[in-house]
Amino acid sequence: MTTRLNSHFAGRHFLQIPGPTNVPDRVLRAIDQPTIDHRGPEFAVLGLDILDRIRTVFQTTQPVVIYAASGTGAWEAALANTLSPGDRVLMAETGHFAMLWKRLAERLGLVPELLPGDWRRGADPEAIHATLADDRAHAIKAVCIVHNETSTGATSRIAEIRKAIDRASHPALYMVDTISSLASIDYRHDEWGVDVTVAGSQKGLMLPPGLSFNAVSAKALAASRQAKLPRSYWAWDEILEANRKGYWPSTPATNLLYGLQAALDQLLDEGLPNVFARHDRHAEATRRAVRGWNLEILCANPAEYSSSLTAVMMPPGHDADAFRSVVLQHLDMSLGTGLSKLAGKVFRIGHLGDFNDLMLMGTLSGVEIGLGLANVPHRRGGVQVALDYLVAARAAPKAIDRAA
Ligand SMILES: Cc1ncc(COP(=O)(O)O)c(C=O)c1O
């Protein structure tokens, strides 16, 4: 198979994995500036601007901690800041990333209780309610849920889970991983009563990998003052103290922060409701194409379909990675691989971030061409079904679309 490092392909690569996503030119240009003194006055202006405006994206008025780290770091930070060794945490087996977060919790000395799942749907609010209602001693200290399971393309109903926790009158902290949903799928840190929201830079925020986030409620901050897990780099208190003047206690990722400033300009200029509507439209068009090809969507509950990505099941006897290789080799497009127990069984189409109708049509065309080249049994014409939907959606838009 050709490796891209030594090959030349005309035109732009199609990076249609569900993150990292395509980085807009204005963000790339913003990153491409001289690195400045992170203790100087110019930096503080940047720091204060970002720390203020990033809160809009989380739909919160509370502080957002920014780390130079991938999303895994922010997972660890959420737990290490708020919990103590031996604490029980309730987690839901929604897919590969939920299982990784559970493993991380175990490694930190926490005791996860796992609600089993089939990797085709989100966390079950009723099961969460039942478990918390049974926990009369309040031994469970946190409920940790992945909003958008990037391995399956199924979302969890975060507001309903909040209600389930409240119905059980349970005081557990509520932590939500929005690594592949923030700035793509509607998410409301304050309104939905989330205590720690975990996020990363490389998906809906349209940045390269390297930044991650904890949005923190007053309840989580109070818990952090009692929590006994060891923490140093991740400790919120020192960072929040330095952030008050626009700085960080250690060296921040200066150039990625320039990029974040430009990404915030772009997102807030488009308007979050329009960003969400755009993602919903592209996800619906993709699902229609998949059905048009007579292939099956992995997510089994339409109420939990992801607007960031669609995981597509391969017909029996066909390997998803062989198909992905054909697409990369012939069409210079990267599609997402199946992770852990889904390896070879699904491929994932990322339709999040800096993405528009024509990029979507190019992506879906690439999939349909690839299905033909790889001799995967399918019905032709899914691309046309998606196109018809986009035309109809534009004729009756749900939100004002600036590109219309
Ligand atoms: C939902 C989710 N959680 C956590 C992670 C881990 O983040 P990272 O790979 O940036 O450390 C990912 C990565 O794709 C993810 O999609």
Side-chain angles (χ1 to χ4, degrees), residues 12-16 22 278 281-283 285-286 333 349-351 353-367 369 383 386-391 394 401 403-404:
R12 280 184 96 148
H13 176 68
F14 269 64
L15 182 64
Q16 297 319 135
N22 298 289
R278 174 165 58 79
R281 185 173 77 243
H282 292 156
T286 303
M333 175 162 76
I349 305 172
H351 34 72
D354 190 38
F355 199 59
N356 62 29
D357 288 12
L358 297 187
M359 293 164 85
L360 175 71
M361 290 315 299
T363 302
L364 297 176
S365 299
V367 174
I369 296 168
V383 167
L387 193 143
D388 291 345
Y389 171 75
L390 288 182
V391 171
R394 282 202 169 257
D401 188 333

Side-chain angles (χ1 to χ4, degrees), residues 18-19 70-73 75 97 146 148-150 177 179-180 202-203:
S70 84
T72 303
W75 262 349
F97 290 103
V146 176
N148 184 71
E149 208 1 297
T150 324
D177 169 342
I179 289 178
S180 57
Q202 73 271 28
K203 312 224 183 208

